[in-house]
Amino acid sequence: MATPIFQLSEEMQQSWDYVMGQMLSFVNDTHADVDMAYDFVCEQLGIDSFVDNEDAWNDFYTYWEAADNRNTNFYNIA
């Protein structure tokens, strides 16, 4: 079971979970850096910021880091 990020309402938690899934696709498609991904999440949720919520930031960064493929080696030359 996932750890709740927004405990104010179940609806906000569902929105957060949905946007995290969308962010994975967004980062994979656009190669978004962390700032671009942060702006994407804020825009999707209709909020100005969530960086002051440590749980939200940590969850966001974990998702972004998992999606960030800029440092992946696509070719393994031996």
Side-chain angles (χ1 to χ4, degrees):
M1 179 176 194
T3 302
I5 302 302
F6 293 99
Q7 298 180 8
L8 298 177
S9 75
E10 186 176 325
E11 181 181 342
M12 186 59 165
Q13 181 63 50
Q14 290 173 347
S15 296
W16 175 265
D17 293 341
Y18 176 77
V19 170
M20 288 300 101
Q22 296 301 307
M23 186 188 67
L24 290 172
S25 296
F26 175 75
V27 171
N28 282 326
D29 292 346
T30 65
H31 303 287
D33 64 10
V34 72
D35 292 327
M36 192 173 166
Y38 183 86
D39 291 342
F40 171 81
V41 171
C42 288
E43 181 181 316
Q44 295 299 307
L45 292 174
I47 58 176
D48 293 328
S49 177
F50 61 86
V51 74
D52 58 329
N53 181 326
E54 186 176 348
D55 290 335
W57 171 257
N58 290 339
D59 192 54
F60 160 80
Y61 195 84
T62 298
Y63 273 92
W64 175 78
E65 193 172 45
D68 180 32
N69 57 16
R70 289 176 291 156
N71 295 321
T72 302
N73 291 330
F74 291 103
Y75 305 103
N76 186 6
I77 301 172

